[in-house]
Amino acid sequence: MLPGNPEDLGSEFYETLTKMAPTKEEELKLKGYSGDLSKIDPAERFLKDVLGVPFAFERVDAMLYRANFDNEVNYLRKSFGTLEVK
């Protein structure tokens, strides 16, 4: 597996991560939390760590786009082929 190759994890993985993106309000609360991390839910701890990565969810969106790109292009080619025949 090459680092940074979005196809390795599959689009389902990236779709799941995209759905986990917190709202702005949730993001502010998580970033502002300074208490004992063992007292918050493991999923919230994970999100708090992910929010420490610059543009984390924007990167996930880009990897999802890359993972789906070939399928989308093939679909569009077939669609345009159908239009050209008619």
Side-chain angles (χ1 to χ4, degrees):
M1 178 179 344
L2 296 173
N5 189 357
E7 293 81 18
D8 292 339
L9 295 174
S11 62
E12 295 85 16
F13 176 76
Y14 297 116
E15 287 172 10
T16 301
L17 283 177
T18 299
K19 291 175 185 174
M20 289 178 58
T23 65
K24 285 294 179 190
E25 182 181 324
E26 292 169 332
E27 184 176 334
L28 290 173
K29 285 181 182 179
L30 285 169
K31 284 184 175 181
Y33 183 78
S34 59
D36 184 4
L37 291 178
S38 67
K39 296 192 185 229
I40 62 173
D41 187 79
E44 290 173 333
R45 279 195 307 257
F46 171 75
L47 281 176
K48 183 166 174 55
D49 287 340
V50 170
L51 291 172
V53 177
F55 306 105
F57 287 101
E58 290 84 352
R59 291 177 183 195
V60 171
D61 287 339
M63 289 186 283
L64 176 61
Y65 177 82
R66 285 181 58 196
N68 287 328
F69 184 78
D70 289 336
N71 289 336
E72 293 293 327
V73 168
N74 289 334
Y75 173 77
L76 289 173
R77 281 188 180 140
K78 288 178 186 175
S79 297
F80 288 132
T82 301
L83 291 174
E84 288 175 356
V85 171
K86 291 184 177 185

